[in-house]
């Protein structure tokens, strides 16, 4: 088959643009054949581009021999140009599911611009189960309407953020990809230097130090849609390279940072037709752990209830519950009344998940069968009912799943050196059961209202975490986070590190952390103390961060900022289940790009130029 040249032919419309009002117009459409149907006298070609699909008709009595021959030879994914006239479909043939369903194009001329092998899957299919195949043939997968819509969402979000921050006086400034290694919490990707043998650049895990230096440089307000790189284990919402909206501002209060973020999130959600409520709810880290057992609470579920005081020492002795540890409960609403068999099965499943931790369940149904424990069951129900009422105004019924977790005798106060482990384990169970019964309670389903998006600011994180094994204090965040001013003034920073709070904050949406930020350290004496408290000598700090410590001595203003994951925001707005659905060319869970077959081996010449020699680890 001879292919046609495009020549001077120009496209007049895109495939998703034509409507009934365009009837009678001469048009030139170009795109891919989505489907082909041969009805003898009529050949139908569904022509597709990223805007949609238009039905093109070749009629033996009207279209001409050459156009018909090309239509007969064409196949799905051929690239063609269809030249003809728009006409209304018969009323009985209108397709209400297609925006272009009221019209079709009667083609009088067809250009086959390129042919195509039979693809391993069709972009016309709604879902392709084999994800490895999708990633290997990503250029075909990206033709699918669902994927194209995801990237339209991404584009709109990016543009809305850029416009909002520009309007607020932020300057978009790029920072280097090739820099030096600094502690950011994950492994660096290293780039060997050819010019300086034996030395390496590091790809940035974030633009952290550079954006602080931009504030020292007097730019006042900076932002960047920044590419970041982290060599860490992957999962559905994590990739080795990702994109974040990164911003920094001078002389900020925490409230000012929050207000800026809430405004650009409002604009970016509005860009794709979604409304969110502001200001976002705020909660301290301690409250989040105490009420939800996690520092990124999913507010679409009721909070946990603290039942510790309900269990008196006498009741604990009778029920063989450890005296000094917390008793916690929670409700998963609208699960439906469980049968005796289903309830016993659930109790066994949860107890098995606790393993040898020492945690157990207190069965409220069984508790009520013993007269002496009915007042206890009533008191527990009253506490759980209060949390449910605070959540949605309803009262506890037999359709709601009430769960009470108790520590058995000799349950350890600390697990893996964590004194908050019981709150965290119960919080984890709360989420597991909410997912298990999601189809019944429907709390995760979108209703088309602002309540679909439960935003939250989590504040006042601990500055340090005690490392029981090493007997040292470790930074809970990066070492450029400022302690609370009150904790510097009081001397706690120097004398009581366990009490020091960080001026750090996270923005959370529906149980996912969207981003983290902080007010930064702008004084050299405080920065030096933080480095020392992390076991870094003054010499080591100067070796690793000398340029930054030097910069702090030249009039550094108070500053702070935040970085939010663009990929996660788009994933939530697109209703996708994985970041791979909103990243054009993602990696697999093993950090492999199946399309280009990366990573790959370097040639001997490349290694020689870089003064490297590979070795095999045994």
């Amino acid at each position: 088959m001879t292919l046609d040249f495009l020549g001077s032919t120009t496209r007049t419309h895109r495939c998703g643009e034509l409507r009934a009002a365009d009837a009678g117009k001469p048009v030139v459409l170009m795109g891919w054949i989505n489907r082909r149907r041969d009805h003898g006298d009529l050949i139908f070609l569904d022509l597709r581009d990223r805007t949609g699909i238009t039905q093109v008709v070749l009629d033996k009595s009207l279209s001409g021999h050459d156009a018909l021959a090309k239509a007969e030879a064409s196949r799905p994914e051929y690239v063609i140009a269809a030249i003809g006239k728009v006409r209304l479909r018969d009323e009985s043939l209108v397709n209400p599911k297609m925006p272009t369903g009221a019209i079709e194009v009667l083609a009088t001329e067809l250009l086959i611009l390129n042919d195509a092998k039979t693809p391993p899957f069709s972009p016309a299919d709604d879902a392709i189960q084999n994800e490895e195949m999708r990633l290997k043939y990503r250029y075909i997968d990206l033709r699918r309407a669902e994927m194209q819509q995801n990237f339209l969402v991404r584009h709109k979000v990016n543009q809305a953020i850029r416009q909002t921050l520009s309007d607020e006086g932020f300057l978009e400034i790029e920072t280097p990809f090739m820099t030096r290694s600094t502690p950011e919490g994950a492994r660096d990707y290293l780039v060997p230097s050819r010019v300086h043998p034996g030395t390496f650049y590091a790809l940035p895990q974030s633009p952290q130090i550079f954006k602080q230096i931009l504030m020292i440089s007097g730019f006042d307000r900076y932002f960047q849609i920044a590419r970041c790189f982290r060599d860490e284990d992957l999962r559905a919402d994590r990739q080795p390279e990702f994109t974040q909206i990164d911003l920094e501002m001078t002389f900020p209060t925490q409230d000012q940072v929050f207000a800026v973020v809430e405004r650009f999130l409002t604009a970016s959600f509005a860009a794709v037709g979604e409304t969110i409520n502001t200001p976002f709810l705020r909660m301290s880290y301690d409250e989040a752990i105490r009420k939800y057992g996690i520092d990124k609470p999913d507010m679409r579920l009721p909070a946990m209830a603290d039942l510790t005081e309900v269990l008196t020492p006498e009741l604990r002795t009778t029920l063989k519950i450890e005296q000094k540890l917390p008793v916690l409960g929670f409700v998963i609403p609208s699960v439906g009344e469980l049968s005796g068999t289903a309830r016993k099965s659930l109790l066994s499943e949860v107890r098995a998940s606790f393993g040898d931790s020492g945690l157990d369940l207190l069965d409220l149904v069984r508790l009520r069968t013993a007269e002496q424990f009915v007042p206890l069951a009533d008191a527990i129900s009253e506490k759980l009912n209060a949390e449910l009422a605070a959540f949605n105004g309803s009262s506890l019924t037999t359709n709601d799943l009430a769960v009470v977790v108790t520590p058995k005798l000799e349950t350890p106060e600390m697990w893996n050196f964590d004194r908050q482990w019981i709150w965290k384990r119960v919080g984890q169970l709360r989420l597991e059961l909410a997912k298990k019964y999601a189809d019944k309670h429907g709390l995760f389903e979108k209703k088309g209202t602002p309540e679909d998006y439960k935003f939250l600011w989590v504040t006042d994180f601990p500055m340090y975490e005690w490392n029981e094994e090493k007997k040292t204090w470790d930074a809970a965040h990066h070492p450029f986070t400022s302690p609370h001013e009150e904790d510097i003034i009081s001397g706690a920073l120097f004398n009581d590190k366990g009490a020091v709070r960080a001026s750090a904050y996270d923005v959370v949406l529906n149980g996912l952390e969207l981003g983290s930020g902080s007010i930064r350290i702008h004084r050299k004496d405080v920065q030096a103390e933080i480095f020392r408290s992390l076991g870094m000598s003054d010499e080591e700090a100067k070796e690793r961060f000398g340029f930054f410590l030097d910069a702090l001595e030249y009039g550094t203003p108070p500053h702070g900022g935040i970085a939010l994951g663009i990929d996660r925001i788009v994933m939530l707005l697109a209703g996708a289940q994985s970041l791979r659905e909103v990243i054009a060319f993602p990696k697999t869970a093993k950090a492999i790009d199946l399309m280009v077959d990366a990573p790959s081996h370097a040639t001997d010449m490349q290694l020689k130029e870089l003064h490297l020699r590979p070795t095999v680890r045994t």
Side-chain angles (χ1 to χ4, degrees):
M1 179 180 61
T2 303
L3 298 178
D4 297 305
F5 290 100
L6 185 60
S8 61
T9 305
T10 56
R11 181 171 59 175
T12 62
H13 297 78
R14 292 187 292 180
C15 295
E17 294 176 343
L18 296 172
R19 299 293 186 269
D22 297 304
K25 287 183 180 179
V27 294
V28 179
L29 300 182
M30 298 178 186
W32 289 265
I33 295 175
N34 197 55
R35 285 193 173 96
R36 175 185 175 277
R37 304 183 303 283
D38 191 336
H39 292 188
D41 289 341
L42 297 174
I43 297 177
F44 296 94
L45 304 177
D46 289 344
L47 195 59
R48 180 195 74 237
D49 64 17
R50 73 174 174 87
T51 65
I53 293 174
T54 290
Q55 179 172 281
V56 175
V57 184
L58 284 297
D59 187 325
K60 282 190 175 181
S61 62
L62 300 171
S63 295
H65 180 270
D66 185 58
L68 281 166
K70 290 178 180 179
E72 289 172 350
S74 63
R75 293 292 180 269
E77 300 313 304
Y78 276 32
V79 182
I80 68 168
I83 302 165
K85 187 174 288 188
V86 181
R87 69 181 187 185
L88 296 173
R89 296 193 196 187
D90 290 338
E91 191 171 332
S92 62
L93 299 176
V94 168
N95 185 348
K97 296 180 180 179
M98 290 176 59
T100 60
I103 59 93
E104 59 191 13
V105 172
L106 176 64
T108 54
E109 187 179 348
L110 216 60
L111 301 179
I112 298 182
L113 303 173
N114 217 337
D115 57 9
K117 292 169 60 177
T118 301
F121 55 87
S122 172
D125 294 339
D126 291 332
I128 295 95
Q129 298 302 319
N130 189 328
E131 188 176 34
E132 287 192 2
M133 190 69 73
R134 290 178 57 204
L135 294 178
K136 181 174 178 61
Y137 297 95
R138 190 63 164 180
Y139 39 85
I140 297 174
D141 186 47
L142 289 173
R143 294 177 189 173
R144 295 193 300 119
E146 177 186 355
M147 296 299 288
Q148 303 240 321
Q149 178 61 30
N150 288 352
F151 286 92
L152 178 60
V153 169
R154 186 174 185 122
H155 168 76
K156 289 180 176 180
V157 167
N158 283 348
Q159 293 302 308
I161 291 172
R162 274 196 166 98
Q163 188 62 57
T164 303
L165 292 178
S166 296
D167 290 347
E168 298 215 8
F170 285 80
L171 300 183
E172 185 170 7
I173 305 174
E174 294 178 343
T175 53
F177 276 0
M178 296 171 63
T179 181
R180 68 175 293 145
S181 179
T182 58
E184 295 277 359
R187 299 181 189 89
D188 288 321
Y189 282 102
L190 299 178
V191 180
S193 170
R194 178 186 60 81
V195 180
H196 303 284
T199 63
F200 295 82
Y201 298 101
L203 299 181
Q205 295 186 36
S206 78
Q208 183 60 49
I209 290 182
F210 286 104
K211 66 181 179 182
Q212 290 189 247
I213 289 179
L214 287 171
M215 297 302 98
I216 297 172
S217 303
F219 282 104
D220 190 62
R221 290 188 164 199
Y222 138 95
F223 84 95
Q224 181 181 188
I225 295 181
R227 298 290 286 169
C228 304
F229 308 85
R230 295 183 183 178
D231 185 4
E232 55 189 350
D233 295 333
L234 307 186
R235 59 191 185 204
D237 61 347
R238 180 184 288 170
Q239 283 277 303
E241 51 182 315
F242 57 95
T243 307
Q244 62 186 32
I245 173 62
D246 195 59
L247 65 89
E248 198 81 4
M249 49 200 294
T250 53
F251 311 111
T253 63
Q254 186 171 272
D255 289 348
Q256 288 175 316
V257 176
F258 291 180
V260 167
V261 172
E262 289 175 9
R263 284 194 289 271
F264 79 64
L265 283 175
T266 297
S268 60
F269 275 62
V272 294
E274 299 285 356
T275 304
I276 61 177
N277 291 323
T278 58
F280 300 163
L281 184 67
R282 301 184 188 185
M283 184 180 300
S284 71
Y285 169 86
D286 288 340
E287 184 181 0
I289 297 298
R290 188 175 69 251
K291 297 183 71 173
Y292 298 94
I294 193 170
D295 61 5
K296 43 181 183 290
D298 193 331
M299 307 296 289
R300 295 173 297 178
L301 303 166
M304 300 189 304
D306 189 340
L307 307 173
T308 304
E309 300 303 319
V310 175
L311 275 295
T312 64
E314 295 76 18
L315 285 169
R316 287 178 182 249
T317 299
T318 304
L319 295 169
K320 297 182 180 180
I321 295 172
E322 182 63 38
Q323 289 287 347
K324 297 181 180 179
L325 296 183
V327 175
L328 304 170
F330 60 85
V331 176
I332 306 297
S334 306
V335 166
E337 192 166 356
L338 298 179
S339 66
T341 301
R343 185 172 55 81
K344 288 178 182 178
S345 176
L346 177 63
L347 292 173
S348 297
E349 180 183 327
V350 172
R351 283 176 172 140
S353 75
F354 284 153
D356 61 353
S357 66
L359 296 182
D360 196 9
L361 292 177
L362 191 62
D363 187 349
L364 280 181
V365 174
R366 186 177 176 186
L367 207 60
R368 290 187 182 279
T369 61
E371 187 175 347
Q372 69 183 108
F373 295 129
V374 170
L376 172 60
D378 288 341
I380 290 173
S381 295
E382 184 178 347
K383 285 270 191 177
L384 295 175
N385 189 69
E387 290 297 343
L388 186 59
F391 173 69
N392 63 8
S394 65
S395 299
L396 190 66
T397 71
T398 54
N399 284 322
D400 302 316
L401 176 62
V403 178
V404 179
V405 180
T406 62
K408 293 187 284 190
L409 296 176
E410 299 183 1
T411 296
E413 182 181 358
M414 192 161 54
W415 189 277
N416 289 334
F417 310 119
D418 185 359
R419 295 183 184 278
Q420 296 176 319
W421 74 273
I422 294 179
W423 285 270
K424 293 176 182 177
R425 184 61 191 89
V426 177
Q428 181 184 340
L429 177 62
R430 167 181 171 269
L431 293 175
E432 289 170 354
L433 293 180
K435 291 174 183 175
K436 179 183 179 72
Y437 295 106
D439 59 331
K440 293 189 176 182
H441 60 66
L443 294 173
F444 299 153
E445 296 175 4
K446 286 189 175 182
K447 309 294 193 303
T449 72
E451 294 302 309
D452 291 337
Y453 301 104
K454 295 286 190 177
F455 282 96
L456 171 72
W457 287 106
V458 180
T459 65
D460 299 333
F461 283 81
M463 183 74 184
Y464 297 97
E465 294 174 343
W466 176 247
N467 188 321
E468 182 70 22
E469 191 171 9
K470 296 179 181 178
K471 306 296 182 185
T472 59
W473 290 103
D474 295 338
H477 304 272
H478 61 66
F480 312 108
T481 298
S482 177
H484 264 257
E485 291 179 2
E486 296 92 332
D487 296 336
I488 299 174
I489 295 168
S490 70
L493 175 63
F494 306 94
N495 306 315
D496 187 9
K497 288 185 166 45
V500 179
R501 297 159 297 162
S503 295
Y505 34 80
D506 284 359
V507 58
V508 177
L509 171 57
N510 294 352
L512 276 178
E513 177 198 318
L514 290 188
S516 295
S518 66
I519 304 301
R520 322 299 186 188
I521 297 168
H522 70 280
R523 287 171 39 179
K524 186 178 179 181
D525 60 333
V526 176
Q527 186 65 76
E529 170 59 23
I530 297 298
F531 285 151
R532 281 193 293 269
S533 69
L534 299 176
M536 199 182 300
S537 67
D538 291 347
E539 292 74 20
E540 184 182 357
K542 186 168 182 60
E543 168 65 24
R544 299 180 69 179
F545 303 106
F547 69 98
F548 183 63
L549 292 173
D550 287 345
L552 289 177
E553 294 186 299
Y554 289 92
T556 299
H559 58 283
I562 194 168
L564 282 74
I566 292 285
D567 309 305
R568 289 189 181 182
I569 294 171
V570 177
M571 181 180 75
L572 288 166
L573 283 173
Q577 299 302 309
S578 165
L579 290 182
R580 290 189 287 273
E581 300 300 304
V582 297
I583 295 174
F585 303 104
K587 309 292 188 293
T588 67
K590 294 183 179 179
I592 296 171
D593 186 328
L594 292 176
M595 187 182 74
V596 302
D597 196 20
S600 60
H601 293 288
T603 66
D604 290 341
M605 179 59 71
Q606 287 174 316
L607 292 172
K608 184 177 180 180
E609 288 178 336
L610 294 171
H611 309 277
L612 296 177
R613 182 190 303 116
T615 61
V616 179
R617 180 180 294 174
T618 59

